[in-house]
Amino acid sequence: MVDDSGLSGFYRLSREERVKKLKEATGLGDEDLGPLVNPGEVDMSILDHMIENVVGTMTLPLGIATNFLINGKDYLIPMALEEPSVVAAASNAARMARPHGGFTATDTGPNMIAQIQVVDVPSPEEAKSKIMDTKDALIEFANEQDPILVRFGGGAKDLRVRIFDSKVGVMLVTELIVDTRDAMGANAVNTMAEALAPRIESITGGRVILRILSNLAEFRLIKAKATFDKEMLGGDEVVNDIVAAWAFAEADPYRCATHNKGIMNGIDAVVIATGNDFRAIEAGAHSYAAMNGYSSLTKYEKTPEGHLLGSIEIPMAVGLVGGATKIHPAARASVKILGVKTATELGQVIASVGLAQNLAALRALASEGIQKGHMALHARNVAATAGARGDQVDIIAEKLVKEKNIKVERAQELLADLQK
Ligand code: MEV
C-alpha cells in the first residue's frame, strides 16, 4: 500500500529516477521489482514452460499510472501497452476524481459460469425439471472435484438450466455457477463441468458435447463510480459535452465500439501487466455490453453541483492465484506494486482504471480533441529518443510542437543547441 499515489512530477523524471521513486513509494526492492524494471533479469526457463515452442519474448513498455484513490486506498497502477497517452490520460483523470473522494467500487463476488451443452434431449422441459430436482446433489458432486476451493470458501453455489432453439435443433444447457475466489477460475469450472457431464447425460437422456466456462461472466461484475471535478474538467460546457459524447455512444454502435475500446485501453493494460487473460476480459466486456443491444460500459450524469458522475459496470474475471500472474516474475512485481490482496480487489482497481480512461478520452474528444495531447506526448518521446534527459525533454518537446516538426533529427539539433 502506498501513502500517496500522487507522485508529483513523476513523468518529468528519467526512467532510473522513476524506478527509485517507485521503490521509495512502495517499499519494494530489487528482489521484487528486478524482473519488471530490468527485463533482462527474467528467467527464460520460466517463460519456456509457459507456452509451446518458445524462442524469445515480446516486451512492452510498462508505465505507472498515478493518483488513483479507490475505496479510500491509494494505488500505483502498472500498465503495459504500446499506445502513448494512455498512462498519462488515466493518471490525469484519476487526479480529477480525488477532490471528491476518488473511486468507489463494489462487486458481485467472483462467480464464474460453466456450461454443459446437451443435444438430442427427448423431452427438454421434463429434463430441465429433473435437473433442478437434483440440483443440490449435482452441486455437491461438483464441489467434490475441488475440495481446496471449497475450503477457501468458494465452490459451486448454484445451477440453472436454459433451453433454446439453435441451427441444429433444441439445446439444453446446464450452467453451474462457481465462486472461484482468487483464481480466474477457468480450470476449476472446466473440471467441474467435465465431471458433471455424465450425470447430466443420464438425467436428460441426451448427449453432452461442450463442457466449458463462459467468458460472459455476468455474475462476476465490478461496479465503480467517481465524481470528476467540473473545474478540473474545464467547466460547465465540458461537463455537458462529455454527457453528450457518452449519449452518442449509447445511441450508436459505430461510436460505441470506439468508446468501449477506449475503456479497454486502460483495462487491458493492467490485465496484461498482472499476467491475466486479456482475451477473456475483452470477450466478457463486449459480450456484456451487447446483452441488450450493444451499448456503453460506462454511464455519465451531471450532479446537482454541476460535477460529472461517471460509473462503469463490467465483468472482471481476473485472478491472483494460478496462471501467469503467479508464474511470470514481472506480473508478480506488478501485483506487489498494486498491493492488492484479492482477485476482487484487483478487479475493482481495473474497473476504476477503465472508467478513468474513458473519462479522459471523452474529455479530450469533447474539448480540444485528442491529437493535441497525443502530439505533445509524441514530441516528448521523440525528444527522449534524440537523447534529451530530465528538463531537456519538456523544453525540446515544446519547441518541436511549436514548430510542428516532431522529428528525431530536429530534436537532435535542438538538443545540441541546448547543450552548447
Ligand atoms: C484511442 O485508442 C481511444 C479513443 O478513440 C477512445 C474514444 O474515442 O473514446 C480515444
Side-chain angles (χ1 to χ4, degrees):
M1 170 153 177
V2 290
D3 292 335
D4 176 12
S5 61
L7 297 194
S8 154
F10 194 60
Y11 73 98
R12 273 191 238 276
L13 304 177
S14 68
R15 192 185 79 85
E16 289 71 19
E17 290 165 334
R18 279 190 217 116
V19 171
K20 193 162 161 263
K21 195 138 194 188
L22 179 65
K23 285 180 179 166
E24 284 164 11
T26 56
L28 298 170
D30 282 331
E31 260 167 48
D32 293 312
L33 295 181
L36 190 145
V37 296
N38 306 314
E41 278 182 24
V42 175
D43 181 351
M44 269 313 286
S45 67
I46 297 176
L47 305 192
D48 195 2
H49 292 102
M50 282 178 68
I51 62 164
E52 307 71 42
N53 301 354
V54 171
V55 293
T57 60
M58 161 70 201
T59 49
L60 282 172
L62 183 140
I64 301 291
T66 57
N67 298 324
F68 275 86
L69 177 64
I70 304 166
N71 290 343
K73 184 172 162 186
D74 265 276
Y75 293 90
L76 290 173
I77 317 273
M79 300 178 79
L81 84 164
E82 85 301 340
E83 186 172 331
S85 302
V86 170
V87 177
S91 307
N92 199 25
R95 192 175 56 84
M96 296 180 195
R98 283 187 86 92
H100 303 275
F103 298 80
T104 308
T106 55
D107 64 275
T108 56
N111 304 306
M112 299 299 285
I113 300 168
Q115 296 191 295
I116 302 169
Q117 175 200 21
V118 202
V119 295
D120 306 334
V121 181
S123 173
E125 286 300 338
E126 201 181 313
K128 177 176 175 176
S129 303
K130 281 195 195 153
I131 292 174
M132 293 317 278
D133 287 347
T134 45
K135 179 175 145 174
D136 291 346
L138 291 169
I139 289 175
E140 200 179 312
F141 180 69
N143 281 331
E144 282 166 21
Q145 314 308 311
D146 201 335
I148 294 176
L149 183 61
V150 174
R151 206 180 318 137
F152 279 100
K157 303 286 182 193
D158 203 1
L159 185 144
R160 70 180 179 186
V161 177
R162 295 191 299 120
I163 298 168
F164 46 83
D165 217 357
S166 80
K167 294 268 194 264
V168 296
V170 171
M171 225 165 253
L172 180 148
V173 177
T174 302
E175 292 178 337
L176 195 61
I177 319 298
V178 186
D179 177 336
T180 63
R181 298 279 90 197
D182 287 326
M184 186 274 186
N187 279 334
V189 306
N190 292 342
T191 304
M192 287 181 183
E194 288 188 9
L196 273 188
R199 295 187 178 213
I200 298 292
E201 277 189 336
S202 74
I203 295 170
T204 59
R207 191 167 62 84
V208 167
I209 307 181
L210 302 194
R211 297 142 295 165
I212 185 73
L213 102 162
S214 168
N215 286 119
L216 175 43
E218 69 166 328
F219 303 124
R220 197 174 194 170
L221 292 181
I222 303 286
K223 290 185 192 180
K225 61 179 182 183
T227 300
F228 299 95
D229 189 77
K230 95 170 157 206
E231 302 305 337
M232 293 169 100
L233 284 166
D236 205 36
E237 199 176 318
V238 178
V239 171
N240 290 340
D241 288 354
I242 292 173
V243 176
W246 160 75
F248 180 10
E250 278 286 294
D252 174 38
Y254 290 89
R255 170 59 205 150
C256 198
T258 322
H259 173 102
N260 284 343
K261 187 273 184 188
I263 296 171
M264 302 314 286
N265 275 346
I267 287 186
D268 285 343
V270 190
V271 171
I272 292 170
T274 56
N276 273 289
D277 181 345
F278 61 94
R279 288 86 56 213
I281 296 299
E282 283 281 343
H286 292 286
S287 55
Y288 190 67
M291 275 184 95
N292 300 305
Y294 190 66
S295 70
S296 169
L297 290 159
T298 54
K299 284 191 170 49
Y300 291 92
E301 66 187 78
K302 206 167 160 177
T303 67
E305 298 77 32
H307 300 296
L308 184 71
L309 174 64
S311 60
I312 184 167
E313 184 172 309
I314 186 167
M316 198 44 70
V318 288
L320 277 184
V321 298
T325 306
K326 256 286 178 283
I327 299 168
H328 197 297
R332 293 167 65 120
S334 287
V335 171
K336 288 211 167 124
I337 292 170
L338 281 164
V340 290
K341 297 282 176 285
T342 63
T344 297
E345 185 185 355
L346 175 60
Q348 292 177 343
V349 169
I350 295 175
S352 302
V353 174
L355 175 60
Q357 206 70 59
N358 182 232
L359 179 276
L362 297 188
R363 198 205 64 79
L365 289 165
S367 48
E368 76 265 12
I370 56 162
Q371 281 316 89
K372 191 169 164 224
H374 268 290
M375 282 306 153
L377 283 170
H378 178 53
R380 295 185 81 245
N381 286 343
V382 168
T385 309
R389 293 294 175 264
D391 287 351
Q392 296 171 339
V393 174
D394 281 331
I395 296 169
I396 292 176
E398 212 171 288
K399 288 192 173 149
L400 293 174
V401 171
K402 213 176 264 167
E403 291 177 8
K404 295 199 170 84
N405 182 14
I406 308 176
K407 301 244 162 58
V408 177
E409 300 74 42
R410 181 62 189 141
Q412 280 163 341
E413 286 168 15
L414 291 169
L415 182 62
D417 283 351
L418 204 65
Q419 285 167 341
K420 263 187 207 150

